[in-house]
Amino acid sequence: MKNEERQKVIDLTIDKVSFQLQEVHDFSWLKEIGEVFCVFDQQDSGNIGFGLAKNNQKFFVKYAGAKPIDYFGNPEDAIDRLLKAIPVYEQLKHPYLTQMIDHFYINNGYAVIFEWFEGECLHSHWSFGGKEKYINPHSPFYRFKHLDINKRLNVLNMIYSFHVFVEAKGFVAVDFYDGSILYDFKDNRMKICDIDFYRKSPIINEIGKDYWGAVRSKAPEEFILGEPIDSKTNVFTMGAMAFGLVGGEMDHSFSKWEAGEKLYEVAIRATEKNRDDRYSTLKEFYEAWQKALN
């Protein structure tokens, strides 16, 4: 939603950190968890995020129930979506996923507490929007793209390993894109975050062209109402992720690819428009990727 379309903006401050909402909301309960050191208030999901510190520990709190400036839906819908995400985090607990610590109703909303991870989001649209993401040397995405190819391939390997686990658990990844990746440049570590929309298979596209996800990583069926969203869909997303991190993103030409011909052939097959031409499962895709890698 563009700035000029926003109906109302309220400035709020907690522990010397300022942020904006569409209306005043009581966050006094955060004091029990810790001191706020950062706020993520520009999400279109209906959630607002807080970084908190207490006794040399840091936490990330995701809260639904307020009205963030870029959200024009109903807060109750955001609460419902966050509630549905709880069993997802419980069942998909994994070393490469940010760890959920607690969750509870509070102050007409719902809060989920995660362990804090000292990483930077590869799609930091609140700091590096539009072209800045790709050309600003301070942008996490720009810095990641300029890392050694082996470090980037290692991140892809972790992403694929996690999603093979997701598939084995009977889940389908929904709304996974570079904004779901946190990277620690100091220690070269990666965590996946924000898997709120992952669902138990089988599922279909019940929304149409605006189905959850970023255009650059969505499969063709994620734009069509009633189409199946399944392992083949996720294979496309993983191939698209490879092009995003070691290639030309939506330009799938070999000239923009940095990781050799064999891996390119795997990524190209994964991103075939025709579902039947892709790998059938994430496990099959990952095995082909590993073989090409070695």
Side-chain angles (χ1 to χ4, degrees), residues 64-293:
K67 280 193 173 181
I69 54 175
D70 285 333
Y71 181 63
F72 281 79
N74 192 321
E76 282 72 30
D77 292 336
I79 292 169
D80 184 58
R81 284 193 292 268
L82 193 54
L83 277 167
K84 286 177 179 173
I86 301 306
V88 177
Y89 285 95
E90 288 174 339
Q91 293 178 61
L92 296 181
K93 187 177 178 180
H94 190 276
Y96 298 150
L97 179 67
T98 49
Q99 187 173 335
M100 183 175 69
I101 299 171
D102 199 5
H103 53 93
F104 46 84
Y105 282 102
I106 187 79
N107 197 29
N108 298 319
Y110 203 79
V112 186
I113 304 177
F114 295 89
E115 281 186 353
W116 180 264
F117 177 69
E118 290 292 348
E120 297 177 63
C121 178
L122 294 192
H123 183 65
S124 306
H125 63 86
W126 51 90
S127 301
F128 302 97
K131 288 184 179 179
E132 288 295 299
K133 170 183 174 178
Y134 302 95
I135 64 172
N136 191 317
H138 300 291
S139 153
F141 185 83
Y142 178 96
R143 286 154 56 212
F144 184 85
K145 284 280 282 189
H146 286 76
L147 288 176
D148 175 79
I149 186 68
N150 290 320
K151 288 180 178 176
R152 286 181 281 150
L153 287 173
N154 187 47
V155 167
L156 279 173
N157 193 62
M158 290 188 281
I159 290 169
Y160 296 161
S161 173
F162 172 70
H163 284 95
V164 169
F165 165 77
V166 168
E167 180 181 70
K169 286 282 189 178
F171 278 81
V172 179
V174 177
D175 194 29
F176 179 79
Y177 67 116
D178 50 11
S180 313
I181 303 168
L182 302 174
Y183 191 74
D184 177 353
F185 289 90
K186 181 170 172 281
D187 295 327
N188 294 306
R189 297 186 306 141
M190 185 277 312
K191 289 274 188 183
I192 290 165
C193 66
D194 201 14
I195 62 164
D196 296 23
F197 290 98
Y198 285 34
R199 291 290 178 264
K200 274 280 191 181
S201 183
I203 59 172
I204 61 165
N205 179 348
E206 76 285 1
I207 297 171
K209 64 181 175 64
D210 296 323
Y211 192 72
W212 304 102
V215 170
R216 57 191 173 278
S217 53
K218 281 166 64 172
E221 58 265 32
E222 292 180 281
F223 295 89
I224 304 170
L225 186 68
E227 286 291 293
I229 307 298
D230 53 18
S231 285
K232 287 186 178 181
T233 309
N234 285 174
V235 165
F236 185 101
T237 300
M238 296 305 125
M241 191 58 56
F243 282 108
L245 301 186
V246 298
E249 200 167 82
M250 293 183 76
D251 180 348
H252 290 184
S253 62
F254 184 66
S255 62
K256 297 285 180 69
W257 183 257
E258 301 175 68
E261 191 172 350
K262 288 186 177 180
L263 287 176
Y264 177 76
E265 288 171 359
V266 176
I268 274 291
R269 181 177 167 189
T271 51
E272 286 283 357
K273 286 186 171 63
N274 185 337
R275 289 167 45 85
D276 294 335
D277 292 335
R278 300 174 207 155
Y279 298 96
S280 296
T281 65
L282 284 170
K283 185 173 182 287
E284 185 188 355
F285 161 77
Y286 187 47
E287 286 170 355
W289 181 267
Q290 290 283 79
K291 186 178 179 181
L293 193 62

Side-chain angles (χ1 to χ4, degrees), residues 29-30 33 48-52 59-63 111-114:
W29 53 273
L30 286 170
I33 302 168
I48 183 168
F50 298 92
L52 294 108
F59 307 96
F60 175 74
V61 174
K62 181 183 286 190
Y63 176 80
V112 186
I113 304 177
F114 295 89

